[in-house]
Amino acid sequence: MVAPASRFVCQQCGASHAKWAGRCEGCGGWNTVVEESPRPTGRTVGRRIAFEPLAGDHVEPERLATGISELDRVFGGGMVRGTAVLVSGDPGIGKSTLLLQAMTALGELGVPNVYVSGEESVSQLRLRAKRVGQTQSPLLLAAETNVRDILASLDAPTQAAAVVIDSIQTMYLDGLDSAPGSVAQVRACAQELIRLAKRRGITLILVGHVTKDGQIAGPRVLEHMVDAVLHFEGERGHNFRILRAYKNRFGATDEIGVFEMGDRGLREVANPSALFLPEHDGDVTGSAVFAGIEGNRPILMEIQALAAPSPLATPRRSVVGWDGNRLAMLLAVLDTRCGLALSGYDVYLNVVGGLKVSEPAADLAVVAALVSSLASRPMPAKTVAFGEVGLSGEVRPVGRADARFKEAAKLGFGTAICPRGGETGAAPLKTLETATLTDMLAAIGEGEALVSPRARSKTVGHR
Ligand code: TYD
Ligand code: MG
């Protein structure tokens, strides 16, 4: 019998090649292609499977709630037994801390659980537990990287209900000759662990480090294998962290949990708006409050802009927490539709607190901050803004307007600049409905002063 040929697999994108190459054809990465030996093939004759009708009973999944409500929320009401979850994030962001806190909390509730670390020693884990003030939990610890040993230790009926593997990149399965962290190892280790989790009804939590370009090392193979992917994110230099569900077979995606990293571990932030709101009283130029929706929750956040005359032929555009392309689009729309020529200005944009905003609904608040900076006049006091801006300068309605209004009113805001045509009837605060950017400039009292006569003639009739 001819031995099956080995494969050459790119460690970055997972593309497989017939022979070794210095550069991967899939992703263009250099030196990423590694030889992987073929897996032995087993049975050759299939067994008939019994198909089942769609109509029938189903069982509600059993959940393990930690009591940390920001965490349980992201899981959709607690971790589901017998499922695998990937918790990814940059190194140092706090994954180990979060999971140690979650596991000690679960342990205190009487759930037998295990924390296996391939990165830290047991005594380091104890030190961390002491730091977060959880030393009495019955949680069991191990410092281990050999997956076969881990499997052998956990393969007993009541050994553990939840297991953390920190991190999957440090684990290895002997018998595979690639190094820990390679695609082949990550995939094989995860497969074995997930199989055990399903068989024993264990909630398996795999920690995965993210590579610089945002990929989970061991190219996203894990994302397909697990039931939920949670990403833990935050900006360096800021202490709040967001746990975000990207995939969840047992709960809503887009759900977020907000935490604050302190010197005694992570603390839940039940009212995130308070964290991201300006501390000044609306008297600062270049600042606007955006009534956003993160996950399922409304969050108010401050957006700051600075437009400064530029000596450069190509002025600087620098964006933190928002999409640079979107800023370029807004600047172009402001120029052509409102005559606000910012081409001679350096423009800096910052979402305060280090939040990353991806909603187009932030457009209006960004425009407000930009215009306020350009005019050197603060936004009207106690005002929030939200709305998407289109290429012809129109302001488009966005979803969940009622939730945004309510959150703004709850935090003491009296006015909302919002798109026309939304559900503003029952809003608990004053609404300034805008159909175009020109309306919007008028709403914040900057219409005439900023717009050049050339542009004013252009915008006539544009409504
Ligand atoms: P860690 O959980 O080790 O990150 P990860 O597992 O994602 O790599 O978190 C490490 C960082 O968190 C480290 O820089 C120290 C900081 N930290 C605190 O600020 N307070 C604390 O109570 C703990 C435990 C860690
Ligand atoms: Mg860690």
Side-chain angles (χ1 to χ4, degrees), residues 154-215:
L154 292 175
D155 205 355
T158 54
Q159 189 65 25
V163 174
V164 170
I165 302 289
D166 185 2
S167 64
I168 190 67
Q169 278 115 344
T170 55
M171 298 294 146
Y172 76 95
L173 206 59
D174 41 19
L176 273 184
D177 39 9
S178 32
S182 64
V183 186
Q185 281 287 4
V186 165
R187 188 169 28 197
C189 292
Q191 240 159 23
E192 292 297 326
L193 288 162
I194 291 171
R195 202 173 298 154
L196 172 83
K198 305 266 168 201
R199 192 169 67 237
R200 291 285 178 200
I202 295 172
T203 302
L204 176 70
I205 302 173
L206 302 173
V207 175
H209 292 297
V210 169
T211 52
K212 274 204 204 75
D213 53 0
Q215 287 208 344

Side-chain angles (χ1 to χ4, degrees), residues 90-97 128 131-132 209 261-265:
D90 286 325
I93 204 75
K95 301 179 294 297
S96 304
T97 309
R128 191 193 293 266
R131 192 164 171 194
V132 301
H209 292 297
M261 180 66 96
D263 52 3
R264 303 197 59 221

Side-chain angles (χ1 to χ4, degrees), residues 222-342:
L222 282 181
E223 291 187 25
H224 307 291
M225 295 163 62
V226 296
D227 298 291
V229 178
L230 311 182
H231 191 67
F232 203 38
E233 59 193 32
E235 285 287 320
R236 268 177 213 291
H238 289 288
N239 16 352
F240 85 88
R241 304 279 183 265
I242 290 183
L243 184 67
R244 202 183 282 271
Y246 279 100
K247 158 179 174 180
N248 194 348
R249 291 195 178 136
F250 299 93
T253 51
D254 274 351
E255 193 55 280
I256 62 162
V258 185
F259 299 87
E260 200 175 358
M261 180 66 96
D263 52 3
R264 303 197 59 221
L266 290 154
R267 193 176 59 79
E268 296 180 68
V269 178
N271 179 11
S273 288
L275 201 65
F276 304 119
L277 271 189
E279 292 183 355
H280 50 80
D281 224 2
D283 49 357
V284 172
T285 63
S287 155
V289 177
F290 167 48
I293 300 278
E294 281 288 332
N296 272 321
R297 271 188 299 184
I299 295 187
L300 302 190
M301 54 198 113
E302 183 185 2
I303 293 184
Q304 291 181 334
L306 179 65
S310 175
L312 306 170
T314 315
R316 286 180 74 106
R317 307 281 183 242
S318 171
V319 185
V320 178
W322 208 49
D323 179 10
N325 289 331
R326 193 107 199 143
L327 174 66
M329 185 203 92
L330 282 185
L331 294 177
V333 172
L334 277 171
D335 187 356
T336 44
R337 306 294 177 192
C338 309
L340 282 186
L342 283 144

